[in-house]
Amino acid sequence: MARNGLKTWTKPAPSLYPHQWSWDSAFIALGLAHLDNRRATRELETLFSGQWASGKVPHIVFNPDAPPKTYFPDAERWNAAALSPDAPDEPRTSGLCQPPIHAIAVRRIWETARDREDRRVDLARAFLRDSYPRLLAWHLYLATARDPEASGLVTIYHPWESGTDNSPRWDSALGAIEVREVPLYPRYDLQHVSDPSQRPSDEEYDRFVWLLELLKEARYEEAEIYESHPFLVKDVLFSAILVAANEALSEIAAVVEAPDEERELIDGWIERGRKSLDERWDPDLKLCLDYDLRAEEPVRVRTVAGFAPLIAGGLEPERLKNLLETLDSPEFAGNQELHWPLPPSTSPQEAGFHPRSYWRGPAWPVIHWLLWWSLLRAGESGRAERMRRAALDQLVEGGFAEYFEPFTGEPLGSPDQSWTAAVALDFLAAGG
Ligand code: 2M8
């Protein structure tokens, strides 16, 4: 992670990802909090310098010094500031967003500082004061522009927003899109992995790029996108992370003594989010399902996103029991063929499962972190500890890879992935 560090922020990976990514940076700050609070705060401050006037935190803040021809789509292709009055002129950003881990990272900075010497506590408190209004604006954007129905669930406009880009969760929605002429584009990403099957396919990329062109046609205007965009999905994983982040924001609000109305607003979001996730429960699959607004149907695919209610927390005992059964079953971490008892991103029993292809099956350390942390919050300390140990064993054997082949443990994607190292730091800190 230190090797991937630039002046005030950290690249997700040495060459595959030369810019700053939103949820990567939040995980990075969370890990860095254990080593260097100042560096962790600067990581997030740099990211938030790209926040849009609407409150949106963009999924990429572009690095003007990135070597040319290393990542596509670049800032020129997004053209965000020219198209939207909400986008900042500087730094240049993408037009999408990603799951809101940020408040959770800010709270971790506070947790690692609050029992230390006065100066460190004062600096952390000052950082919380600065961050609170930005986080509130970000969550307000998600609760309104991304949920005009006030349903409690966040609508995403592109698989990149989910962070689980080529998950089979998106196959049916992507399949229904009529792709017209996609402007020519390069696959620079394929230069950085040992074989193309580890990255999304060309068909998937055509759809990713086509959706990006449509968002540009709509000038990144939320109402216009809601009217015309072919990909509108209520993402349960994103929504659950928002609930957990709102819990963190509520604690931050208490530290900075935010007004009561704001604290009530945040508590209302938590309640609404949990209730709506419960409504997306599938009793047969014993998982929570995304909802495709265009097709007007739930997305019946078994992926780790189905554990969303565990991440959102506040579960009834029966629901928790159901989720743990699914987690321990051969559909996920209980599959006897697995190299480590860790849930793969997609259930090996799904037709769309692929053990080497990115979010279609490989095991992702950040997801293990999310589930471990959620198990702890649910009071499942034994299970959480088993997951933490297996997750660390995986890294001891395979290094800080982006993702792992779940049956062989082979490291895949980019080696030296920053957020993998970041969650390792948080896992280790929890071991005392
Ligand atoms: C991956 O996504 C980017 C596009 O945003 C890509 O494939 O080029 C995903 O794994 C995403 O979750 C992650 O934030 C990003 C950087 O690590 O890479």
Side-chain angles (χ1 to χ4, degrees), residues 7-150:
K7 208 160 164 225
T8 60
W9 61 279
T10 312
K11 288 182 290 181
S15 53
L16 177 58
Y17 307 117
H19 307 288
Q20 187 175 27
W21 258 261
S22 170
W23 75 327
D24 296 63
S25 265
F27 278 112
I28 289 163
L30 186 133
L32 281 174
H34 298 287
L35 300 180
D36 181 347
N37 262 204
R38 184 73 200 111
R39 175 81 199 183
T41 58
R42 290 177 88 191
E43 181 78 39
L44 289 170
E45 282 163 359
T46 310
L47 179 75
F48 272 83
S49 70
Q51 187 168 24
W52 287 33
S54 57
K56 175 164 69 185
V57 176
H59 103 291
I60 301 176
V61 172
F62 285 101
N63 168 13
D65 301 323
K69 302 193 174 168
T70 44
Y71 188 80
F72 174 85
D74 57 13
E76 284 70 38
R77 182 63 77 114
W78 286 101
N79 203 18
L83 292 172
S84 170
D86 288 343
D89 288 329
E90 284 299 328
R92 301 179 81 183
T93 77
S94 74
L96 298 174
C97 60
Q98 274 187 327
I101 298 287
H102 317 87
I104 299 169
V106 171
R107 180 177 56 184
R108 191 59 110 223
I109 291 171
W110 175 245
E111 287 165 347
T112 56
R114 69 181 163 203
D115 299 325
R116 301 301 186 84
E117 67 281 4
D118 289 352
R119 192 176 141 66
R120 187 156 163 193
V121 179
D122 289 347
L123 283 173
R125 190 176 282 109
F127 173 64
L128 258 60
R129 280 211 186 94
D130 283 353
S131 306
Y132 173 75
R134 299 177 202 166
L135 291 168
L136 185 67
W138 167 218
H139 290 198
L140 183 62
Y141 164 79
L142 293 172
T144 52
R146 292 310 186 99
D147 188 17
E149 311 84 352

Side-chain angles (χ1 to χ4, degrees), residues 12 17 21 23-24 59 71 98 160 163 165 199 205 358-359 364 417 419:
Y17 307 117
W21 258 261
W23 75 327
D24 296 63
H59 103 291
Y71 188 80
Q98 274 187 327
W160 283 338
D165 307 0
R199 294 281 308 169
Y205 251 83
Y358 212 36
W359 288 96
W364 284 75
Q417 184 80 3
W419 67 5

